[in-house]
């Protein structure tokens, strides 16, 4: 029930009789009768709709009925000048709350109520009132994916008889609707920015009559557009340095062999591959092999590794003695089964500017024969996992592996950041496997604001793994990750087990539906900590 508790509009001065206590009082006062009715109090509008509202108040003693006057755009002036929009008289106490119909949407109103004693006009009270605003109309339709471009949007509407539309406002843009657009019930508004969320407002003579939110698509300026059925592999491999490949929704298989299995695409130039519509992300079946110092940005795509021809990693660096650009994977879903050895592999002597996974969902990469994130001979300057959800991965292998190739890179000091990630059901079928198997000398590790749940992993048992900077992490069913005395460190001494001793090993976070990838936090005390992937506690 929508309820607007409104402001009291006037104050009344009542002459209060001072009653003095005395030792003897001959008569007890049981009632008080004034010369006129007190004004109604606690006036409020409830169930406010587009064109109606209910008004209620606390009854006044001795009043037998009530009068109402409703003024539009009164703005709490209490002037009661001009002609009221509505006048209702003779409302009996058993008719409270009273329904007021015939109002205009998105309009400020002040309703005034007066208490009356029938047959005695001298007892009619002063007016008291309250303020409310009617709901907006919703004439504006939700834009379809095809209506949303990188720098424009086409909006359409359906208007009730008797109304008109005059203006569309999006951010700082005000668009006056033309006669042609009114006839078509459609208008295109330009001047927007790519990959930006906007809210469009539709107006009728200054009254809001619709609003819809949308997000513009990836920047298409100079982009190569790819439709379902196009050869995405060929387009990627023939792309020029710095190219942007914008992909429409659909399914794209990379390098399918005679048996129908997907293979790998060779990325040898620095390029960007972006799904055009955030609500219709293209599905790419296959893997990415990086060559000759290439950089790669992937955004708003789904990478399906369940039909791969080889048990290889999703991203694999192939060319040695190269300086690779940044790898940025953002707003993507990545999944596979046993066919995927891991998410990434760097087993060549090469420098990688940065590796970043942000706002991703990564799941069901079992890592048979490899570690989840696996750098052997390469040097990645920074490794970042942020605002992401990772589950059902690395069942028997390490989570982040970074071997010591420091002898091949003078002055190298890799930095690893894992922040605001939900990590569930990793390393479940092996003991003494590590969340951090980092041996590159000079490493720095930051592990903050994460949820780790349902794992047999330890943090590390390596002397070369730097003690991470920990802050605000939450654990559930992670006995070995936090309480290292419970495990056997094997060849290493317990001093090398650098776990998060200040992390909270707490109660079940109560994920909504972990089996189907919904990690919405049902445990409010955990949600308040703002830990894990932010999409699950917003």
């Amino acid at each position: 029930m929508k309820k607007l508790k409104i402001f009291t509009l006037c104050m009344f001065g009542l002459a209060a009789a001072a009653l003095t206590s005395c030792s003897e009082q001959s008569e007890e006062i049981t009632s008080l009768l004034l010369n006129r009715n007190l004004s109604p109090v606690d006036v409020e509008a409830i169930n406010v709709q587009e064109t109606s509202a209910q008004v209620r108040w606390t009854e006044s003693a001795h009043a037998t009925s009530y009068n109402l006057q409703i003024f539009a755009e009164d703005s709490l002036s209490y002037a009661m000048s001009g002609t009221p929009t509505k006048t209702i008289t003779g409302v009996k106490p058993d008719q409270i709350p009273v329904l007021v119909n015939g109002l205009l949407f998105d309009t400020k109103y002040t309703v005034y109520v007066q208490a009356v004693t029938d047959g005695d006009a001298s007892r009619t009270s002063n007016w008291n009132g309250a303020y409310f605003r009617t709901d907006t109309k919703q004439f504006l339709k939700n834009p379809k994916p095809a209506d949303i471009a990188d720098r424009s949007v086409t909006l359409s509407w359906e208007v009730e008889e008797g109304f008109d539309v005059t203006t569309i406002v999006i951010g700082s843009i005000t668009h006056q609707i033309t006669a042609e657009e009114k006839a078509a019930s459609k208008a295109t508004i330009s001047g927007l920015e790519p990959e930006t969320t906007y809210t469009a407002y539709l107006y009728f003579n200054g009254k809001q009559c619709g609003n819809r939110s949308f997000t513009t698509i990836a920047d298409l300026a100079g982009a190569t557009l790819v439709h379902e059925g196009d050869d995405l592999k060929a387009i990627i491999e023939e792309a020029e340095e710095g190219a942007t490949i914008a992909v429409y929704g659909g399914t794209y298989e990379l390098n399918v062999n005679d048996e129908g299995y997907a293979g790998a695409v060779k990325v040898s130039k620095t390029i960007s591959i972006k799904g055009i519509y955030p609500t219709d992300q293209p599905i790419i079946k296959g893997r990415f092999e990086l060559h000759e110092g290439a950089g790669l940005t992937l955004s708003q795509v789904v990478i399906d590794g369940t039909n791969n021809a080889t048990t290889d990693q999703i991203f694999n660096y192939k060319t040695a003695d190269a300086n690779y650009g940044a790898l940025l994977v953002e707003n993507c879903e990545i999944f596979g089964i046993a066919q995927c050895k891991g998410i990434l592999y760097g087993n060549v002597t090469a420098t990688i500017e940065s590796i970043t996974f942000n706002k991703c969902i990564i799941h069901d990469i079992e890592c048979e024969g490899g570690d989840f994130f696996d750098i052997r001979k390469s040097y990645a300057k920074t490794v970042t996992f942020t605002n992401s959800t990772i589950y059902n991965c690395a069942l028997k292998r390490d989570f982040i592996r970074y071997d010591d190739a420091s002898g091949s890179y003078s002055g190298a000091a890799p930095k690893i950041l894992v922040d605001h990630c939900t990590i569930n059901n990793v390393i479940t079928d092996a003991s003494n496997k590590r969340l951090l198997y980092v041996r590159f000398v000079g490493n720095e590790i930051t592990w903050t604001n994460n949820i780790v749940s349902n794992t047999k992993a330890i943090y590390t048992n390596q002397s070369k793994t730097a003690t991470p900077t920990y802050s605000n992490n939450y654990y559930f069913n992670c006995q070995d990750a936090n309480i290292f005395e419970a495990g056997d460190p094997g060849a290493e001494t317990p001093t090398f087990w650098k776990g998060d001793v200040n992390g909270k090993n707490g109660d079940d976070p109560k994920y909504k539906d972990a089996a189907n990838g919904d990690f919405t936090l049902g445990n409010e005390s955990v949600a308040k900590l703002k830990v894990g992937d932010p999409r699950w506690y917003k």
Side-chain angles (χ1 to χ4, degrees), residues 186-259:
K186 181 183 296 185
T188 298
I189 295 87
S190 301
L192 308 180
E193 293 295 324
E195 299 183 81
T196 304
T197 298
Y198 292 96
T199 299
Y201 297 93
L202 184 68
Y203 288 94
F204 159 60
N205 291 337
K207 304 291 184 185
Q208 188 189 140
C209 53
N211 64 83
R212 298 291 185 183
S213 295
F214 63 93
T215 301
T216 50
I217 64 176
D219 191 350
L220 299 183
T224 300
L225 301 183
V226 182
H227 298 80
E228 190 170 22
D230 292 344
D231 189 345
L232 179 60
K233 176 180 180 293
I235 293 170
I236 292 173
E237 294 184 344
E238 295 168 8
E240 298 293 329
E241 181 75 17
T244 296
I245 299 170
V247 187
Y248 284 91
T251 300
Y252 302 82
E253 294 184 320
L254 302 175
N255 200 22
V256 178
N257 64 15
D258 293 339
E259 288 77 34

Side-chain angles (χ1 to χ4, degrees), residues 165-169 174-177 201-206 209:
V165 291
T166 54
T167 311
I168 296 172
V169 176
T174 299
H175 176 86
Q176 300 299 329
I177 300 172
Y201 297 93
L202 184 68
Y203 288 94
F204 159 60
N205 291 337
C209 53

Side-chain angles (χ1 to χ4, degrees), residues 350-430:
T351 298
I352 305 165
E353 185 63 29
S354 63
I355 298 171
T356 302
F357 293 87
N358 182 46
K359 298 181 180 178
C360 291
I361 294 180
I362 306 170
H363 60 97
D364 296 292
I365 297 178
E366 296 181 11
C367 303
E368 186 67 38
D371 298 293
F372 177 73
F373 180 91
D374 196 345
I375 290 182
R376 304 289 179 100
K377 298 178 181 178
S378 305
Y379 165 48
K381 295 180 182 179
T382 62
V383 174
T384 301
F385 287 88
T386 49
N387 308 305
S388 295
T389 300
I390 303 164
Y391 66 97
N392 298 348
C393 292
L395 303 187
K396 299 179 181 179
R397 302 293 300 224
D398 295 300
F399 183 61
I400 294 179
R401 176 172 179 166
Y402 201 140
D403 281 352
D404 187 10
S406 56
S408 301
Y409 306 92
S410 177
K415 293 180 172 57
I416 299 171
L417 169 66
V418 182
D419 178 72
H420 278 106
C421 288
T422 297
I423 302 169
N424 180 69
N425 220 42
V426 302
I427 313 177
T428 57
D429 298 340

Side-chain angles (χ1 to χ4, degrees), residues 283-328:
I283 300 170
I284 300 175
K285 293 189 173 186
R287 303 180 293 103
F288 295 84
E289 293 183 348
L290 290 96
H291 295 256
E292 303 170 24
L296 176 62
T297 295
L298 279 173
S299 177
Q300 294 186 167
V301 303
V302 177
I303 303 174
D304 179 357
T306 60
N307 196 40
N308 286 351
T310 58
T311 57
D312 211 337
Q313 287 81 1
I314 298 293
F315 301 97
N316 197 331
Y317 288 88
K318 289 292 189 178
T319 303
D321 302 319
N323 291 315
Y324 285 91
L327 171 65
L328 171 60

